[in-house]
Amino acid sequence: MRKQIVPFLLLAFVFLTGCKALSARVLPPPTYDEQCQPSDKRFMEWALDTQDLVPIEEISADPEESLDQVMAELDRVGLKIVPKGEVGNPQWDGFTTTFPDFILVSGDWEGRGDASKAALLWHELVHKEQWDRLGREAMIARYATAAGRWSLEVAAYRQSFRVQRLFGIPEAQIQRNMKARAESLYEKYLLGSSMPECTQQTSIDIWMLDAA
Ligand SMILES: [Zn+2]
């Protein structure tokens, strides 16, 4: 079921936005050398770009306060949280995603703690900023290639790990989370279709730039 989510998302994006000029904006996928360096550096630059992340100094280190803060921010930008069950589509099982106007959250949402909810919503807010800054066509064009999807998610997960550090989660745990995330990105976003396995380390290297 998971494997079908990326083409499904692409279709959903195209359907929701009525995009007609997708192919004109899609960059050719890069190739990778033995050091896992991509032939086109732009994807790396996007992954490293932090302009869509709320500065960590502006986020409360208290999970409950932080959750209130991010909920207020989502409210301000007009983003609603929609439990997946209300959509009634089994494709969304366990999956969280952001569209221009809403965030679909998994069925276990209400049972999660404040820290988990806040970390997830700060991540989703990055996608909202990406969407607003890039515009729908550029966003969809990035989503169309593995390296593009990777760049959007690596930037957004950087915020998740910044927030985890802010909440005082032990560094060893954060690094285990990073490793698991780098691997799960491959499955969830079908990156293995054109990115070699060794590039998983590139994701971790980028997230570790914030380690003290
Ligand atoms: Zn994401």
Side-chain angles (χ1 to χ4, degrees):
M1 197 62 90
R2 271 272 160 82
K3 295 249 180 253
Q4 298 166 13
I5 200 78
V6 167
F8 181 75
L9 272 179
L10 262 179
L11 266 179
F13 275 131
V14 171
F15 175 75
L16 284 170
T17 61
C19 174
K20 292 185 182 69
L22 178 62
S23 58
R25 310 258 325 234
V26 178
L27 288 183
T31 56
Y32 297 86
D33 66 17
E34 299 92 85
Q35 276 76 48
C36 280
Q37 293 300 307
S39 55
D40 185 337
K41 299 284 181 208
R42 279 174 287 185
F43 299 97
M44 190 75 104
E45 284 162 17
W46 295 339
L48 282 161
D49 189 347
T50 56
Q51 69 175 303
D52 298 316
L53 282 61
V54 171
I56 200 72
E57 310 80 50
E58 295 176 15
I59 298 177
S60 170
D62 176 73
E64 194 183 344
E65 257 180 48
S66 187
L67 181 59
D68 287 347
Q69 200 184 355
V70 71
M71 296 285 272
E73 194 58 27
L74 294 176
D75 207 42
R76 193 185 66 76
V77 299
L79 206 53
K80 286 184 283 294
I81 297 171
V82 179
K84 169 191 60 64
E86 290 177 20
V87 181
N89 188 328
Q91 289 267 20
W92 300 110
D93 268 2
F95 200 78
T96 303
T97 195
T98 297
F99 284 97
D101 305 316
F102 57 93
I103 299 174
L104 280 175
V105 293
S106 57
D108 64 351
W109 176 250
E110 285 307 325
R112 289 185 182 214
D114 290 347
S116 162
K117 283 183 180 171
L120 192 143
L121 293 178
W122 285 114
H123 167 104
E124 298 301 332
L125 190 62
V126 175
H127 290 318
K128 170 67 176 169
E129 296 295 326
Q130 289 168 335
W131 187 287
D132 288 351
R133 180 173 59 83
L134 294 168
R136 66 184 187 197
E137 284 181 16
M139 189 77 176
I140 293 164
R142 284 195 195 184
Y143 222 86
T145 57
R149 292 193 289 282
W150 173 83
S151 71
L152 292 166
E153 288 304 330
V154 166
Y157 276 111
R158 189 164 178 182
Q159 186 73 319
S160 311
F161 296 122
R162 283 183 175 184
V163 168
Q164 288 182 19
R165 274 206 187 86
L166 184 68
F167 289 166
I169 293 171
E171 187 62 28
Q173 180 63 53
I174 291 174
Q175 290 184 21
R176 279 197 296 277
N177 295 348
M178 286 177 176
K179 193 169 185 305
R181 180 57 64 196
E183 283 166 15
S184 73
L185 279 184
Y186 267 66
E187 199 183 328
K188 201 165 157 184
Y189 297 96
L190 294 181
L191 304 183
S193 55
S194 64
M195 294 178 74
E197 280 222 331
C198 63
T199 58
Q200 290 183 27
Q201 187 57 42
T202 314
S203 313
I204 296 173
D205 291 344
I206 291 173
W207 297 329
M208 284 301 287
L209 291 172
D210 298 316

